[in-house]
Amino acid sequence: MRRITRIATVGIASAALALSATACGGKQSSDTGSDSKKEAGAAIAYDIGGRGDQSFNDAAYAGLQKAESDLKIKGAEAEPTDGEGEADKVQRLTELARKGNNPVIGVGFAYAPAIKKVAPKFPDTTFGIIDDTSVTGPNIANLVFNEEQGSYLAGVAAAKVSKTGKVGFIGGVEVPLIKKFEAGFAQGVKDTNPNATVLTQYLTQPPNFDGFAKPDLGKAAAQGQLDQGADVIYAAAGLAGSGAIEAASTKGKWAIGVDSDQYNQAGLVKYKDHILTSVTKDVSDSVFDLIKSVKDGKPTTGEIRYGLDKDGVGLADSNPEYKKMTDVIAAVDKAKAEIIAKKITVKTAP
């Protein structure tokens, strides 16, 4: 697998600028040379935090790894840079597409404006975007999830295990996507225990997206909620969420992971005994399925939604202590069945 590091991304930007200049001279940006075709494969461009976040980006990477192994394709990765803007994302996606990669997948809603600009220039390349439906096109696949449904189940579990009646929600950045996590979690808590209190805090406000990237922010927020009596902390904050997990573990309280099954993440092994469960999103399979559709010659486009009904979201049960909580599991299973049967409608905004 070819991985473009944060340092190398600067080189990509320079190369892309040069390519743009060439295009202005009359060459179409969808043209590719013979060298790029030799390198053709599938590519993912990571969101804030990059690979190694033990969460969202790592889930996408797992899908690319599976495609490399099962489909025998070459995988390429591109990392974000600190404080980057839309132009950087445009350059990154352009370079990946010019090299002949197909599909090219933007990991996260932040890639929407860039994909809107780049996709029309490469009509024969499929572009995937995770967590966004705002940008559409004949060669764009929108890979989206019912995060609120998985978060509702987390709320049920949190309310059942809490001894203080106070639980915490930490959002990385206050954007509509993360408010879906908050809404589902709070509803699940309140439906299970109407007297419970949900403490909510967002780490940053857009356009500052550090709340997805800095563990110290998540750790400080969790410590504040623990000091207020919360004994379960659920963080939807990417890499920053690892700080919240650390804080909860240090205090001997429960943490709930997000996106990946964080109990099984190597980087969190010190804290795993206090990771009650995780709200999972099948980002891995969504990436793999899109790559496979392109390889099979039938590229998937349009909205592709993953919910509880297709096990696209869910609640992990890797922690042996969680598996012993039969009353909690029963409550979660009941809630899951009722959501699928449409007896419970989960809110998508607080």
Side-chain angles (χ1 to χ4, degrees), residues 93-149:
L93 296 178
T94 298
E95 179 70 4
L96 290 171
R98 274 191 172 278
K99 286 183 177 295
N101 293 295
N102 189 16
V104 174
I105 302 172
V107 183
F109 63 85
Y111 279 96
I115 285 179
K116 184 176 182 180
K117 289 184 177 180
V118 178
K121 299 177 181 179
F122 297 88
D124 295 328
T125 299
T126 298
F127 287 83
I129 182 165
I130 301 173
D131 285 347
D132 181 86
T133 57
S134 70
V135 54
T136 59
N139 60 332
I140 297 174
N142 307 89
L143 312 177
V144 291
F145 302 82
N146 293 120
E147 296 91 354
E148 72 283 357
Q149 294 180 350

Side-chain angles (χ1 to χ4, degrees), residues 195-270:
N195 296 318
T197 299
V198 181
L199 305 174
T200 299
Q201 182 174 342
Y202 283 88
L203 302 179
T204 60
Q205 298 289 325
N208 180 0
F209 286 85
D210 285 351
F212 289 137
K214 296 188 175 181
D216 60 316
L217 296 179
K219 183 177 181 179
Q223 286 173 334
Q225 292 181 340
L226 293 163
D227 289 344
Q228 293 178 66
D231 57 357
V232 186
I233 304 290
Y234 173 40
L239 182 60
S242 64
I245 290 172
E246 179 186 352
S249 175
T250 300
K251 291 285 189 178
K253 306 302 182 183
W254 287 118
I256 295 177
V258 76
D259 291 337
S260 298
D261 182 355
Q262 295 195 294
Y263 179 86
N264 288 323
Q265 290 293 327
L268 298 171
V269 66
K270 285 176 59 178

Side-chain angles (χ1 to χ4, degrees), residues 145 147-148 176-184 305 347-348:
F145 302 82
E147 296 91 354
E148 72 283 357
L177 173 67
I178 304 303
K179 293 185 84 66
K180 287 175 67 180
F181 288 87
E182 177 196 351
R305 182 166 292 278
K347 299 175 183 178
T348 56

Side-chain angles (χ1 to χ4, degrees), residues 17-43:
L17 284 171
L19 289 167
S20 298
T22 303
C24 289
K27 185 176 180 180
Q28 295 299 313
S29 60
S30 56
D31 292 344
T32 56
S34 59
D35 288 342
S36 64
K37 291 183 179 180
K38 290 179 183 177
E39 299 179 20

Side-chain angles (χ1 to χ4, degrees), residues 142-199:
N142 307 89
L143 312 177
V144 291
F145 302 82
N146 293 120
E147 296 91 354
E148 72 283 357
Q149 294 180 350
S151 295
Y152 184 99
L153 301 185
V156 172
K160 293 289 288 184
V161 303
S162 176
K163 296 178 180 178
T164 64
K166 286 186 179 181
V167 300
F169 173 80
I170 297 171
V173 183
E174 192 167 3
V175 292
L177 173 67
I178 304 303
K179 293 185 84 66
K180 287 175 67 180
F181 288 87
E182 177 196 351
F185 181 68
Q187 185 180 347
V189 170
K190 289 291 189 177
D191 284 356
T192 306
N193 178 6
N195 296 318
T197 299
V198 181
L199 305 174

